[in-house]
């Protein structure tokens, strides 16, 4: 290998691109998209061109290209004449349909196989956006319908998947947090907010970028934020939930005593405050906003 070429290990590539090591290895073995060099001990080595290539892959996936089509497109530097968006939508729907079938059958083995396959091929933010969120929305909608009339997906099925997903996310967070030493960031749900899936998935994405999430869970009293921030030296706080007028005033009070930026993940786009920032729903855009504002504070 050339002496003037700078090589980096797979862990740094994962941190820089947000693509975990398992996915990078899958792209290499299953689709021959990457050909990293190896050390004498077999460790993979990547150069800057490899990083640029990975970013090009991510750009294509974001545009609706399936991973199986990426190599041909990059090789030919042209897009298929077929309806790529329709093909990709079909692929995501295919995964969703199969996961729903596994949920209906309470088949933990099939569900686990499908979930692991998705995460081996695509970054967590893509899987979350294209499969997990639509699936949770579908299950929630069917769950509400089941209260009025019998539905194919009921409360038991929704609980089955919720327990599975919570365990998978929790296990991955626990495992990967043992290996990162980046900036610390606090995640919590606002008072009376108990739905933490979106928060946990975003925490997992931040973890994939090398940050250390400190997860405080659902229904956290706001006065608990400052002690945790002081103890951990966190650089930011991410909160999830809806802000009523009283809660907004309480949060502004807490923001006055906290010397770090506060970010809110909420469905209410009308909220504007000098004390905190609202985040977009897309994980990549949200992380970039946090990264930019925390860097400005340093």
């Amino acid at each position: 290998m050339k002496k003037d070429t700078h090589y980096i290990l797979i862990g740094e590539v994962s941190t820089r691109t947000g693509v975990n090591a398992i996915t990078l290895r899958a792209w290499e073995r299953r689709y021959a998209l990457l050909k990293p060099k190896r050390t004498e001990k077999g460790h993979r080595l990547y150069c800057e061109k490899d990083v640029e290539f990975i970013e090009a892959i991510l750009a294509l996936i974001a545009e609706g290209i399936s991973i199986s089509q990426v190599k041909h497109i990059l090789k030919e530097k042209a897009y298929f004449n077929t309806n790529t968006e329709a093909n990709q939508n079909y692929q995501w729907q295919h995964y969703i349909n199969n996961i729903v079938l596994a949920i209906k059958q309470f088949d933990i083995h099939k569900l686990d196989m499908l979930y692991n396959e998705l995460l081996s091929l695509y970054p967590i933010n893509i899987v979350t956006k294209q499969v997990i969120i639509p699936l949770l929305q579908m299950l929630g909608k069917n769950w509400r319908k089941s209260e009025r009339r019998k539905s194919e997906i009921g409360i038991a099925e929704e609980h089955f998947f919720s327990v599975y997903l919570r365990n998978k996310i929790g296990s991955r967070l626990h495992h990967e947090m043992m290996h990162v030493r980046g900036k610390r960031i606090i995640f919590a749900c606002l008072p009376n907010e108990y739905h933490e899936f979106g928060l946990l998935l975003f925490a997992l994405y931040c973890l994939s970028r090398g940050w250390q999430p400190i997860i405080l869970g659902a229904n956290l009293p706001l006065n608990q934020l400052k002690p945790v921030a002081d103890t951990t030296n966190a650089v930011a706080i991410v909160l999830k939930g809806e802000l009523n007028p009283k809660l907004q005033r309480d949060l502004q009070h807490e923001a006055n005593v906290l010397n770090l930026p506060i970010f809110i993940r909420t469905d209410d786009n009308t909220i504007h405050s000098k004390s905190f920032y609202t985040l977009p729903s897309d994980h990549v855009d949200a992380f970039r906003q946090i990264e930019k504002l925390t860097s400005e504070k340093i």
Side-chain angles (χ1 to χ4, degrees):
M1 71 182 61
K2 295 180 181 179
K3 293 183 179 180
D4 59 346
T5 301
H6 176 65
Y7 289 94
I8 57 178
L9 294 171
I10 195 169
E12 184 175 343
V13 174
S14 180
T15 298
R16 287 179 56 179
T17 63
V19 182
N20 66 44
I22 294 174
T23 299
L24 291 173
R25 288 193 287 266
W27 287 356
E28 176 188 340
R29 290 194 303 265
R30 296 178 62 171
Y31 298 104
L33 286 169
L34 301 166
K35 295 180 180 179
K37 296 184 180 299
R38 300 273 186 153
T39 66
E40 292 181 358
K41 293 184 178 181
H43 298 300
R44 291 171 172 81
L45 294 172
Y46 300 82
C47 64
E48 287 300 318
K49 285 187 177 180
D50 292 324
V51 175
E52 292 175 4
F53 190 69
I54 292 167
E55 290 173 345
I57 293 172
L58 292 174
L60 288 173
I61 291 173
E63 291 179 15
I65 310 300
S66 69
I67 191 66
S68 60
Q69 296 173 316
V70 163
K71 185 176 182 179
H72 175 80
I73 292 172
L74 291 174
K75 183 178 179 180
E76 300 297 330
K77 296 183 179 180
Y79 290 91
F80 290 106
N81 293 326
T82 57
N83 189 336
T84 305
E85 183 176 358
N87 290 340
Q88 183 71 347
N89 288 338
Y90 171 81
Q91 175 182 269
W92 298 130
Q93 193 59 49
H94 177 73
Y95 272 110
I96 291 172
N97 291 344
N98 280 309
I99 290 173
V100 168
L101 181 61
I103 293 170
K104 289 179 183 178
Q105 297 171 343
F106 300 97
D107 189 337
I108 191 71
H109 300 291
K110 183 177 181 180
L111 177 59
D112 200 49
M113 182 272 291
L114 291 165
Y115 183 79
N116 291 336
E117 180 179 307
L118 273 168
L119 290 182
S120 73
L121 297 177
Y122 298 97
I124 183 64
N125 61 299
I126 300 292
V127 175
T128 298
K129 180 179 180 179
Q130 300 291 353
V131 178
I132 301 302
I133 290 178
L135 191 56
L136 289 171
Q137 291 172 340
M138 178 192 302
L139 291 175
K141 184 177 180 180
N142 278 278
W143 182 87
R144 287 189 293 272
K145 285 182 179 179
S146 71
E147 294 178 335
R148 297 190 298 271
R149 60 179 182 273
K150 290 185 177 181
S151 173
E152 288 189 56
I153 298 178
I155 297 174
E157 287 85 352
E158 191 271 340
H159 282 196
F160 171 75
F161 182 66
S162 295
V163 170
Y164 169 81
L165 188 59
R166 189 180 304 278
N167 288 338
K168 292 295 286 188
I169 295 172
S171 175
R172 188 167 177 181
L173 283 167
H174 173 75
H175 174 73
E176 296 191 14
M177 277 195 286
M178 299 299 105
H179 306 286
V180 297
R181 295 292 184 271
K183 298 176 182 178
R184 292 178 176 178
I185 180 169
I186 296 170
F187 291 86
C189 289
L190 289 166
N192 299 315
E193 175 62 53
Y194 295 90
H195 297 90
E196 56 182 339
F197 274 131
L199 193 74
L200 294 175
L201 288 166
F202 183 49
L204 190 57
Y205 177 73
C206 292
L207 180 61
S208 75
R209 302 310 303 263
W211 288 41
Q212 296 185 69
I214 300 165
I215 302 170
L216 305 181
N219 189 33
L220 184 80
L222 293 178
N223 61 11
Q224 296 298 301
L225 292 172
K226 182 170 172 48
V228 177
D230 291 343
T231 302
T232 61
N233 293 318
V235 299
I237 296 172
V238 176
L239 302 173
K240 177 184 180 295
E242 302 306 315
L243 285 171
N244 56 45
K246 180 184 183 306
L247 198 53
Q248 187 166 345
R249 289 194 299 271
D250 292 343
L251 183 58
Q252 287 172 341
H253 172 75
E254 292 300 322
N256 291 334
V257 298
L258 284 162
N259 189 28
L260 71 168
I262 298 175
F263 300 89
I264 306 291
R265 301 206 78 178
T266 177
D267 295 330
D268 189 349
N269 297 321
T270 65
I271 294 175
H272 299 284
S273 173
K274 295 180 180 179
S275 302
F276 48 84
Y277 309 89
T278 56
L279 287 174
S281 59
D282 182 80
H283 287 179
V284 177
D285 292 339
F287 179 78
R288 286 174 180 165
Q289 182 177 336
I290 293 173
E291 191 174 41
K292 180 177 184 297
L293 288 171
T294 53
S295 297
E296 291 174 353
K297 293 286 183 179
I298 297 176

